[in-house]
Amino acid sequence: MTTLNSTLLVISVYIFLVLIRVIMGPTIWDRLLGLNMITAKIIISIIVLAVLTERSYLLDIALVYSVLGFIGTVLIARFVERKGKI
Amino acid sequence: MLLILSNVMIAVALFFMAFGIIGIFRFDDFYSRILISSKVETVGFITMLLGMMLRTGWDYSTLKILLIGLMAIITNPLSTHAVARSAYISGYKTGREKKDRG
């Protein structure tokens, strides 16, 4: 089980690196891109945690999180595209 | 045997994600960055889910992970396309296009 623990550690380091890109991103679309990547990495870490602790209800949480992340990214992108009128 | 295979797949997925991180730091255009993030992230996601499916064995969890993978395959390019379309319609120009225009 040490593989899954180190996988969680490496994924958290990746999330931190993408957070640097979000903070220093020149435009708002770079920050949206970072939001999208962080959402994917959080879904992966939830799945790794579910396999590590053998609790299968965490996979439902990962499914709901993927749907909510998709809706959030698309809504913020359309909000910026139409200049405040959704 | 399945454990070794799943460990190899997890390592390959972590390598793909590392390439994605390097890509978003090295390119200086927004469109290059969003291209590299879309491609590499989707491949790393699918490879990681395959490794997890090999590790759980044949169970209900395998079908749930498969459902999450199908959801990610459908929605990840859609959200990337929405972000790129938003940048294009809002009039974002890269540095090269600005230099050409004047």
Side-chain angles (χ1 to χ4, degrees):
Chain A
M1 284 298 155
T2 54
T3 310
L4 296 182
N5 286 324
S6 41
T7 306
L8 278 179
L9 188 65
V10 173
I11 287 175
S12 54
V13 173
Y14 287 171
I15 288 177
F16 185 72
L17 288 175
V18 178
L19 198 61
I20 294 174
R21 180 81 249 177
V22 169
I23 289 171
M24 67 182 251
T27 62
I28 192 171
W29 301 291
D30 287 303
R31 299 189 166 101
L32 268 177
L33 172 67
L35 173 70
N36 200 6
M37 291 178 78
I38 288 178
T39 305
K41 282 170 180 50
I42 285 178
I43 292 166
I44 285 179
S45 59
I46 291 174
I47 293 169
V48 173
L49 192 66
V51 176
L52 178 65
T53 61
E54 294 179 350
R55 294 193 170 101
S56 73
Y57 61 87
L58 287 175
L59 295 172
D60 300 334
I61 298 174
L63 188 60
V64 173
Y65 199 90
S66 83
V67 175
L68 287 183
F70 169 64
I71 291 175
T73 307
V74 171
L75 274 185
I76 296 174
R78 286 185 80 88
F79 184 76
V80 175
E81 171 188 324
R82 300 189 176 184
K83 296 184 176 54
K85 287 179 290 187
I86 189 69
Chain B
M1 187 62 204
L2 280 184
L3 202 62
I4 298 172
L5 200 58
S6 87
N7 284 343
V8 170
M9 279 205 167
I10 288 171
V12 170
L14 288 180
F15 268 113
F16 276 127
M17 287 180 194
F19 289 147
I21 303 287
I22 293 171
I24 67 166
F25 275 104
R26 264 193 75 86
F27 287 105
D28 48 353
D29 278 348
F30 168 69
Y31 293 117
S32 312
R33 278 198 292 257
I34 201 164
L35 173 76
I36 204 76
S37 105
S38 164
K39 298 295 179 289
V40 174
E41 284 298 305
T42 310
V43 172
F45 202 95
I46 295 167
T47 318
M48 179 67 87
L49 291 193
L50 280 179
M52 288 300 148
M53 279 160 65
L54 282 178
R55 192 174 272 266
T56 57
W58 186 245
D59 202 3
Y60 280 121
S61 307
T62 314
L63 293 177
K64 282 184 185 176
I65 296 176
L66 189 67
L67 199 62
I68 296 172
L70 281 179
M71 192 75 202
I73 290 173
I74 295 172
T75 62
N76 205 353
L78 279 178
S79 57
T80 310
H81 171 75
V83 175
R85 185 173 180 269
S86 163
Y88 181 71
I89 288 181
S90 301
Y92 178 77
K93 292 278 188 297
T94 60
R96 211 179 309 145
E97 288 170 347
K98 274 182 197 164
K99 206 179 295 175
D100 282 346
R101 196 155 293 181

